[in-house]
């Protein structure tokens, strides 16, 4: 089982933190599909410390999402500690996660994200400072290294453990790789064997079978799923079921997909407002529509939608079309 500090997850399946995706609307939906732990999108320490309005809104957590891990990122110790203390005292997050994996230049150029992967001592210093300053368990999410020549995953994870971190999530790619190539699961096994705190494996889990394989091959304590869950909370449900019962459930019907897409939309509207939510929902809708035959027109159409009504009409139209085709075929 996956246990981080005193927090026990009901299973080993973890929703990855994804910027622009993992807000309360999506997280709650994925939670309802059975995720053991959901991770919030990364939040800037500076945004928190300056009480930036948009950043403050990102800290909203629905009780039903718990247990939840909230990720912060930053480049300077003082600023990161201050933000962690704010999250510790003022949010109902269960876990504070520090981002050490973000490869995006906007983040790494200010000495945050994956940059720290070059220096285990820096990781120790940062994590120890945050651990000392907060009560909630602190974890770290990292990539396996900066580039092929600098793979310090073992040293870095050990530094997290020595500093009092309560778990590590490891994406088996380097910073330089971005999302290219295949995630390296051997390094996940190596790191697992070198620390005693829980390790959550991450990278290229695309099917429930992949999740089982990663758990078995690496011995990791939890399996983190990112891209495969986009527009597809069923991936989480099917994985939980497969791990628990060995049964591989089928894919959802078009009606089910669209119903959950609309539920997600309505939660996003409640969280933001209709105008922002519908625009944000365009990319999600395209993800929900993936795999539905004849979706080309609808996938383009979602980008033209500006209101809930327009989007819902388009989505329901697709369901009607799909159901009609099935009737005709039958
Ligand atoms: C749209 C998107 C946004 C992401 N944002 C974050 C983030 O905020 N923090 C983070 O640590 N990783 C972030 N990641 C990386 C994922 O958490 C995960 O490590 C990566 O996608 C590999 O897992 P996967 O193969 O299951 O997708 C993001 C990935 C994607 C696709």
């Amino acid at each position: 089982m996956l246990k981080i500090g005193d927090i026990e997850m009901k299973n080993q399946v973890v929703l990855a933190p994804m910027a622009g995706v993992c807000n309360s609307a999506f997280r709650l939906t994925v939670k309802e599909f059975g995720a053991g732990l959901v991770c919030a999108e990364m939040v800037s320490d500076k945004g928190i410390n300056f009480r930036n309005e948009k950043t403050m809104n990102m800290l909203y957590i629905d009780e039903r999402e718990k247990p939840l891990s909230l990720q912060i990122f930053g480049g300077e110790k003082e600023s990161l500690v201050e933000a962690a203390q704010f999250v510790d005292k003022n949010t109902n997050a269960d876990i504070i996660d520090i981002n050490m994996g973000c490869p995006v230049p906007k983040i790494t150029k200010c000495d945050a994200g994956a940059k720290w992967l070059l220096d285990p001592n820096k990781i120790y210093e940062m994590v120890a400072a945050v651990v000392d300053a907060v009560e909630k368990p602190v974890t770290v999410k990292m990539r396996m290294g900066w580039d092929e020549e600098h793979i310090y995953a073992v040293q870095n994870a050990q530094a997290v453990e020595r500093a009092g971190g309560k778990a590590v999530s490891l994406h088996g790619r380097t910073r330089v790789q971005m999302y290219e190539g295949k995630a390296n699961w051997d390094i996940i096994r190596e790191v697992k064997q070198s620390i005693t705190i829980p390790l959550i494996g991450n990278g290229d889990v695309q099917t429930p079978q992949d999740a089982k394989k990663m758990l078995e091959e690496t011995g990791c304590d939890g399996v983190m799923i990112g891209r495969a869950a986009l527009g597809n909370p069923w991936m989480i449900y099917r994985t939980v079921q497969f791990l628990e019962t060995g049964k591989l459930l089928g894919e959802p019907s078009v009606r089910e997909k669209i119903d959950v897409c609309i539920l997600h939309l309505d939660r996003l509207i409640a969280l933001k407002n209709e105008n922002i939510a519908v625009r944000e929902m365009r990319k999600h809708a395209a993800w929900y529509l993936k795999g539905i035959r004849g979706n080309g027109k609808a996938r383009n159409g979602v980008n033209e939608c500006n209101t809930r009504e327009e989007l819902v009409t388009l989505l329901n139209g697709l369901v009607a079309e799909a159901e009609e085709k099935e009737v005709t075929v039958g």
Side-chain angles (χ1 to χ4, degrees):
M1 259 313 111
L2 178 60
K3 190 174 176 201
I4 298 176
D6 288 335
I7 298 154
E8 239 171 284
M9 277 27 96
K10 65 178 182 200
N11 60 53
Q12 297 171 291
V13 180
V14 180
L15 172 69
M18 287 184 280
V21 173
C22 292
N23 50 40
S24 177
F26 183 59
R27 293 185 317 241
L28 177 57
T29 307
V30 169
K31 187 66 173 210
E32 288 170 345
F33 276 83
L37 176 66
V38 293
C39 298
E41 57 191 327
M42 61 179 177
V43 185
S44 139
D45 62 349
K46 295 255 166 25
I48 294 175
N49 298 339
F50 292 134
R51 306 287 185 270
N52 174 290
E53 193 188 334
K54 242 170 118 184
T55 310
M56 290 294 112
N57 292 339
M58 290 166 87
L59 301 181
Y60 172 75
I61 297 161
D62 186 308
E63 275 295 310
R64 292 171 291 174
E65 294 175 47
K66 285 159 74 67
L68 174 137
S69 165
L70 196 144
Q71 185 182 70
I72 53 174
F73 71 92
E76 294 138 30
K77 189 162 72 180
E78 292 70 29
S79 170
L80 196 69
V81 165
E82 191 185 330
Q85 282 176 319
F86 185 89
V87 172
D88 197 48
K89 299 257 164 354
N90 300 287
T91 76
N92 50 352
D94 299 279
I95 295 164
I96 300 175
D97 187 48
I98 306 175
N99 178 312
M100 292 192 196
C102 189
V104 181
K106 190 175 100 183
I107 307 295
T108 54
K109 82 169 188 309
C110 50
D111 216 16
K115 199 70 180 283
W116 295 348
L117 300 178
L118 290 166
D119 188 354
N121 291 329
K122 172 105 177 181
I123 291 184
Y124 175 83
E125 189 191 321
M126 291 290 207
V127 176
V130 173
V131 167
D132 281 349
V134 301
E135 283 177 14
K136 297 184 198 285
V138 175
T139 61
V140 170
K141 177 158 179 285
M142 54 173 66
R143 285 189 171 230
M144 67 178 180
W146 179 261
D147 57 23
E148 283 301 320
E149 279 73 54
H150 301 89
I151 310 254
Y152 304 144
V154 167
Q155 295 93 316
N156 289 340
Q158 287 175 337
V160 172
E161 174 158 26
R162 255 186 300 123
K166 292 289 188 283
V168 172
S169 309
L170 180 63
H171 179 191
R173 280 194 177 81
T174 62
R175 186 271 161 179
V176 168
Q177 271 182 299
M178 302 291 276
Y179 288 93
E180 299 291 313
K182 232 175 121 19
N184 178 341
W185 290 4
D186 293 338
I187 196 88
I188 297 176
R189 186 176 56 240
E190 218 181 297
V191 170
K192 170 62 196 168
Q193 287 165 358
S194 72
I195 55 174
T196 62
I197 53 174
L199 180 70
I200 299 171
N202 170 237
D204 295 348
V205 173
Q206 280 156 359
T207 63
Q209 296 96 315
D210 288 343
K212 185 157 194 271
K213 193 160 169 243
M214 180 188 267
L215 286 165
E216 284 174 358
E217 282 184 5
T218 71
C220 63
D221 303 276
V223 52
M224 179 181 272
I225 300 173
R227 288 165 296 172
L230 294 172
N232 189 8
W234 294 270
M235 170 59 188
I236 300 290
Y237 182 68
R238 293 171 69 238
T239 300
V240 170
Q241 292 299 314
F242 187 65
L243 294 178
E244 274 171 14
T245 69
K247 278 208 193 92
L248 190 60
L249 302 179
E251 298 281 353
S253 68
V254 177
R255 173 84 269 165
E256 282 174 284
K257 280 195 175 198
I258 298 306
D259 283 350
V260 171
C261 181
I262 294 172
L263 172 71
H264 183 174
L265 166 67
D266 284 336
R267 285 182 169 156
L268 211 50
I269 291 174
L271 196 64
K272 311 212 167 177
N273 63 46
E274 181 169 347
N275 190 22
I276 296 176
V278 170
R279 249 180 279 164
E280 248 183 53
M281 200 62 202
R282 290 172 181 168
K283 65 179 181 217
H284 290 284
W287 287 324
Y288 280 97
L289 295 179
K290 244 168 115 177
I292 299 180
R293 249 182 293 153
N295 70 10
K297 215 170 73 197
R299 280 183 82 165
N300 291 331
V302 296
N303 290 322
E304 313 287 313
C305 291
N306 290 306
T307 64
R308 177 187 189 277
E309 169 140 22
E310 284 169 8
L311 188 49
V312 169
T313 305
L314 184 138
L315 293 171
N316 280 331
L318 192 71
V319 178
E321 243 175 69
E323 285 175 350
E324 199 174 300
K325 266 187 222 147
E326 256 168 52
V327 171
T328 326
V329 172

